Amino acid sequence: MTLFNEDRFHALNLRQGQRVVRAEVREETGRLVGSLGGVLDKDILTCGYSAPFGGLDLARERETPANVARIVDEALALLYAQDARALRVKLPPACYGESEPLVQFTLLNRGFRVERCELNQHIALDALSGPSAYVEQLKSPARRALSKLLAGEFSFRRAETEAEWDRAYATLAANRAMKGRELSLSRAYIARARQTLGESVRMYELLCSERAIAAALVYRVRPRRDLVVAWGDGEHDLERSPMNLLAYRLVESSLSEGVRTLDLGISNEHEPGPHGALEPNAGLVQFKQSVLARIEPRLTLVRELAQ
């Protein structure tokens, strides 16, 4: 199941009057085919509530069109019976599984409309034989920048102690402060998430002479699928940004664990621009492309439910 659809994740975010609702679809043999659920607030059910996305959970990554349609059709009826009158589905991008495009197709052809379309970027690790293949595929400017950083005195490690988590969080907070923003997740929330979600929540640090200069908060959202929830470099006096090196070390670490997709998250502004639409963050798009990230849409779909 997608981490953001699990009861333990919802427990971190539920408010009074809200409840978790889930519709499971099974074969006559009892085998689970898939499920659809989320948080019901009044009569609106949000799949991916308080999360980047949720989506359908399929028992098998490669599912037939007939079974995907069955999950959707039966789940809609089951959710209506549990008092849901409108359904908002925050879908993951297609990189999260072979059947994700089929899920999008099915929902859109069941009357769902696009409420929000975001620009997401990911690194396809399953296309790489190892870290050296990643470096070889970089364009010359990015490869040169990484080569210079690799020659420096940097270390990369996963945060383990509370002091290391505090330091990494401070690095991320400093990065957001330099941009005139606040980190969307509080230190207290991350501590609760780490306690509740265990190994699914990880923090990594990039250090220079034992001074933290960059950090990344990473969630294991599905088996072999990682999401970089937040990352950035903090205050430092380096000649060049260490982010190319941080990206490389994250790729290297993920490959060593058999991860197939490293999701770098959205690369658009969070609020509509002057034309009433979300706009790409051009600098962020360009940087992520320079570290081999591919672009996909990330959709939020909505529909009224009826018997």
Side-chain angles (χ1 to χ4, degrees):
M1 180 180 288
T2 304
L3 178 69
F4 299 136
N5 289 336
E6 293 187 25
D7 289 353
R8 59 181 179 148
F9 178 81
H10 290 317
L12 293 167
N13 304 288
L14 280 180
R15 300 197 305 267
Q16 187 174 1
Q18 298 176 334
R19 60 188 174 95
V20 177
V21 173
R22 181 174 296 109
E24 294 186 346
V25 177
R26 297 180 179 273
E27 293 180 341
E28 292 182 359
T29 60
R31 184 189 77 84
L32 179 67
V33 182
S35 64
L36 176 61
V39 172
L40 186 65
D41 188 358
K42 297 179 181 178
D43 61 355
I44 300 175
L45 180 70
T46 300
C47 177
Y49 175 80
S50 194
F53 53 82
L56 271 68
D57 283 306
L58 306 177
R60 298 182 296 208
E61 181 169 325
R62 180 183 295 176
E63 195 49 271
T64 66
N67 274 343
V68 171
R70 181 186 167 201
I71 294 168
V72 171
D73 293 339
E74 293 188 20
L76 295 185
L78 291 168
L79 293 172
Y80 185 89
Q82 297 186 65
D83 301 324
R85 297 296 178 264
L87 177 59
R88 173 180 292 110
V89 184
K90 298 163 72 174
L91 289 171
C95 62
Y96 276 84
E98 290 186 48
S99 296
E100 290 304 331
L102 183 57
V103 171
Q104 293 181 17
F105 170 87
T106 304
L107 291 174
L108 289 168
N109 282 280
R110 290 298 191 277
F112 282 78
R113 62 177 176 82
V114 177
E115 181 183 61
R116 188 178 179 92
C117 179
E118 299 186 284
L119 191 156
N120 202 83
Q121 293 181 263
H122 74 280
I123 301 176
L125 300 181
D126 54 359
L128 302 172
S129 59
S132 60
Y134 170 81
V135 176
E136 291 170 2
Q137 290 188 30
L138 293 173
K139 292 187 177 180
S140 295
R143 191 162 57 249
R144 288 196 300 270
L146 177 60
S147 177
K148 292 178 180 179
L149 288 165
L150 286 171
E153 297 181 359
F154 299 98
S155 60
F156 175 80
R157 65 187 179 211
R158 181 175 167 181
E160 298 291 350
T161 68
E162 289 302 317
E164 290 170 347
W165 276 81
D166 287 342
R167 182 175 61 191
Y169 182 86
T171 301
L172 294 175
N175 174 270
R176 298 304 187 270
M178 288 187 294
K179 300 174 182 177
R181 306 198 310 268
E182 290 185 1
L183 196 59
S184 59
L185 302 177
S186 70
R187 177 67 182 94
Y189 178 86
I190 292 176
R192 288 193 293 116
R194 180 187 172 202
Q195 182 177 23
T196 302
L197 306 177
E199 286 294 303
S200 296
V201 178
R202 305 161 182 218
M203 185 78 85
Y204 297 92
E205 289 187 288
L206 186 65
L207 301 102
C208 180
S209 301
E210 293 304 306
R211 177 187 175 191
I213 58 171
L217 177 64
V218 180
Y219 283 12
R220 179 69 46 84
V221 180
R222 286 184 183 173
R224 297 190 292 178
R225 297 314 198 280
D226 282 355
L227 168 65
V228 179
V229 177
W231 66 337
D233 56 333
E235 298 176 354
H236 56 76
D237 54 3
L238 301 175
E239 293 183 5
R240 58 180 56 85
S241 169
M243 290 300 293
N244 290 74
L245 180 57
L246 179 61
Y248 171 74
R249 293 304 185 198
L250 288 173
V251 166
E252 186 179 48
S253 176
S254 295
L255 284 170
S256 71
E257 296 184 6
V259 173
R260 295 171 56 186
T261 300
L262 183 61
D263 183 355
L264 301 185
I266 60 171
S267 302
N268 52 259
E269 304 300 339
H270 292 273
E271 299 298 330
H275 303 292
L278 293 177
E279 300 291 340
N281 182 323
L284 193 54
V285 171
Q286 184 176 14
F287 167 70
K288 290 180 181 179
Q289 286 181 319
S290 75
V291 297
L292 300 187
R294 303 175 182 179
I295 294 176
E296 289 179 337
R298 196 173 81 185
L299 303 177
T300 297
L301 307 181
V302 296
R303 205 196 94 167
E304 300 295 319
L305 301 186
Q307 262 182 323

